[in-house]
Amino acid sequence: MFQAQDQNREFGAIITRLIQKENLTRDTAKDAFISVLNNDVTEMQQGAFLAALAAKGETRQEVAGAWEAIY
């Protein structure tokens, strides 16, 4: 149970960074997309992550991390 809470908290911190217009590293983006693809975080967090990323505007590193997570 604590592991899921910790993961949700860490994912929430990533969402906050995106809302504050901070760019993610390739590895951070990859890890975040893996969490989304594996359904490891809540649907609300998944939507908030994708919306915040789209609102900020994706960097090349973030797109590359997403691609790595998918493939």
Side-chain angles (χ1 to χ4, degrees):
M1 173 105 175
F2 289 111
Q3 186 178 13
Q5 287 178 343
D6 290 341
Q7 186 168 16
N8 284 330
R9 189 174 299 116
E10 290 174 18
F11 198 81
I14 291 171
I15 295 168
T16 299
R17 289 175 54 193
L18 292 172
I19 291 169
Q20 295 172 345
K21 305 291 185 194
E22 292 181 30
N23 296 330
L24 304 178
T25 65
R26 184 176 186 158
D27 288 337
T28 301
K30 177 182 174 183
D31 292 344
F33 274 99
I34 287 172
S35 293
V36 169
L37 293 168
N38 288 338
N39 208 31
D40 292 336
V41 293
T42 67
E43 289 180 5
M44 182 180 280
Q45 284 185 310
Q46 292 174 26
F49 168 73
L50 295 172
L53 185 61
K56 179 189 76 66
E58 303 86 356
T59 65
R60 291 179 184 193
Q61 293 298 315
E62 291 163 346
V63 171
W67 185 87
E68 284 185 49
I70 293 168
Y71 295 101

